[in-house]
């Protein structure tokens, strides 16, 4: 059942994009291509139909982790607050998925 998941919260998407830049996420991630980590469009595609994708992704991007996309682990991001993580996650999930 691939229901189209709409965000029920009103995080600002533009703010999320700016945060991803200022928190250095884009040093390892590109929007539409793999870099060190997965492209954010691919992330949005993989998770937009899971339950509560915003909760999942905001937690996941703070914790970092390994083994979901390849051999390279992502370090935890303790400089990203809960609120900032949710805005970044909302932005990722809003990316157009062709
Ligand atoms: C040092 C490089 C690096 C930095 C900095 C980094 N990432 Fe990652 N990221 C990765 C790698 C590598 C993976 C894949 C990890 C895996 O395979 O599980 C990843 C995975 C992810 C995922 C997918 C997680 C999942 O559950 O599948 C998201 C979302 C993500 N990063 C967001 C971010 C955001 C937002 C930031 C900035 C706050 C950030 N990353 C900073 C390297 C990085």
């Amino acid at each position: 059942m691939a229901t189209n998941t709409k965000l029920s919260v009103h995080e600002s998407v533009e703010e999320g994009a700016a945060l991803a830049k200022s928190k250095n996420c884009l040093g390892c991630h590109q929007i539409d291509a793999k870099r060190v980590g997965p492209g954010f469009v691919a992330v949005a595609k993989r998770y937009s139909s899971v339950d509560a994708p915003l909760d999942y992704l905001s937690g996941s991007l703070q914790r970092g982790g390994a083994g979901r996309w390849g051999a390279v682990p992502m370090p935890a991001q303790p400089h990203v607050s809960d609120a900032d993580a949710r805005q970044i996650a909302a932005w990722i999930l809003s990316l157009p998925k062709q």
Side-chain angles (χ1 to χ4, degrees):
M1 259 199 316
T3 50
N4 199 356
T5 313
K6 290 271 175 277
L7 301 174
S8 56
V9 285
H10 28 265
E11 276 85 0
S12 150
V13 164
E14 293 75 23
E15 185 68 10
L19 281 167
K21 213 171 283 169
S22 71
K23 302 294 180 189
N24 294 326
C25 312
L26 303 183
C28 286
H29 291 276
Q30 283 181 293
I31 309 297
D32 55 1
K34 184 175 168 7
R35 192 171 182 151
V36 180
F40 284 148
V41 168
V43 172
K45 273 189 194 148
R46 180 182 288 191
Y47 296 115
S48 55
S49 58
V50 305
D51 276 352
L54 192 61
D55 290 344
Y56 169 76
L57 269 190
S58 53
S60 169
L61 72 83
Q62 282 180 307
R63 281 190 305 273
R68 295 158 301 188
W69 294 89
V72 186
M74 172 169 157
Q77 308 289 309
H79 60 298
V80 178
S81 69
D82 292 355
D84 287 354
R86 288 185 74 82
Q87 293 211 317
I88 298 172
W91 167 65
I92 292 172
L93 290 166
S94 78
L95 293 170
K97 311 163 200 55
Q98 285 94 15

